[in-house]
Amino acid sequence: GVPPPQPQQIQLPPGVSPQQFAAMQQQQQMQQQQQQQQPQFPPGHAANIAPPTPPPPPAQDGPIDSSNWLDSAPGIAMEYKVHVDAGKEDCYWQYVHPGATLYVSYQVLKGGDGAIGMAVRDPRMKVVHPYAWKASSEYEENTAQGGYYSVCLDNQFSRFSAKLVNLYLT
């Protein structure tokens, strides 16, 4: 007949008990499962997705009129100092309410030739501001469609110099 199958012998690393080894294998399997569940982005692309800004609360004193302070309140403005590695592109997403104004500007603060590219895409991923290699640039859309706009800072032309960039979104 055929000999019964022998259990596989696993060589344990020195100083590791069978219980510790089993725990290490279980932890590796959990990490692999987590990596499979996370969305994969192309190399050099960051995923910085801000949650949508909730609409303002309804007025407590009746219908909206010109004396309501919310009507004259400014939009949310955010200013970031971001580091873009040499040869990389970093993208950021901003939620914009329908009909609102989107304003984006950047200025290279430090690094290399002092220039970087910026592209802005609307929620349908249509480029509304094409790349241009400059030290600073801005884009404004007064009647934006609702959804996530992407702003990408492209340093792919710079093979050796990282850039420090001031990015302003409102």
Side-chain angles (χ1 to χ4, degrees):
V2 178
Q6 296 293 321
Q8 282 188 333
Q9 291 290 329
I10 297 175
Q11 185 69 32
L12 296 177
V16 176
S17 72
Q19 293 83 5
Q20 290 172 322
F21 186 73
M24 288 167 47
Q25 282 186 319
Q26 195 174 29
Q27 189 176 16
Q28 285 177 342
Q29 288 174 348
M30 287 175 50
Q31 287 174 347
Q32 287 173 348
Q33 289 172 353
Q34 287 174 350
Q35 287 174 352
Q36 290 171 353
Q37 292 171 357
Q38 293 175 348
Q40 297 297 314
F41 295 95
H45 287 69
N48 300 317
I49 302 175
T53 306
Q60 299 297 320
D61 55 354
I64 296 175
D65 58 27
S66 60
S67 65
N68 188 333
W69 68 272
L70 286 174
D71 291 339
S72 61
I76 295 176
M78 292 171 285
E79 187 169 10
Y80 303 99
K81 286 193 178 33
V82 296
H83 182 267
V84 184
D85 286 325
K88 302 292 183 186
E89 176 185 51
D90 284 355
C91 293
Y92 304 88
W93 283 264
Q94 175 63 45
Y95 183 81
V96 179
H97 290 286
T101 298
L102 168 70
Y103 176 79
V104 180
S105 69
Y106 77 88
Q107 179 180 11
V108 177
L109 301 173
K110 197 162 85 166
D113 62 356
I116 200 165
M118 177 184 77
V120 179
R121 291 179 182 86
D122 69 11
R124 294 177 304 208
M125 295 310 289
K126 176 184 170 210
V127 176
V128 293
H129 179 74
Y131 286 106
W133 193 257
K134 295 180 177 181
S136 65
S137 183
E138 61 185 5
Y139 171 75
E140 184 171 6
E141 187 171 322
N142 290 319
T143 54
Q145 57 178 297
Y148 285 96
Y149 280 73
S150 75
V151 177
C152 295
L153 298 174
D154 184 2
N155 197 24
Q156 293 183 34
F157 287 116
S158 182
R159 296 178 58 119
F160 303 108
S161 297
K163 307 286 169 61
L164 181 64
V165 182
N166 191 60
L167 178 63
Y168 181 82
L169 296 165
T170 183

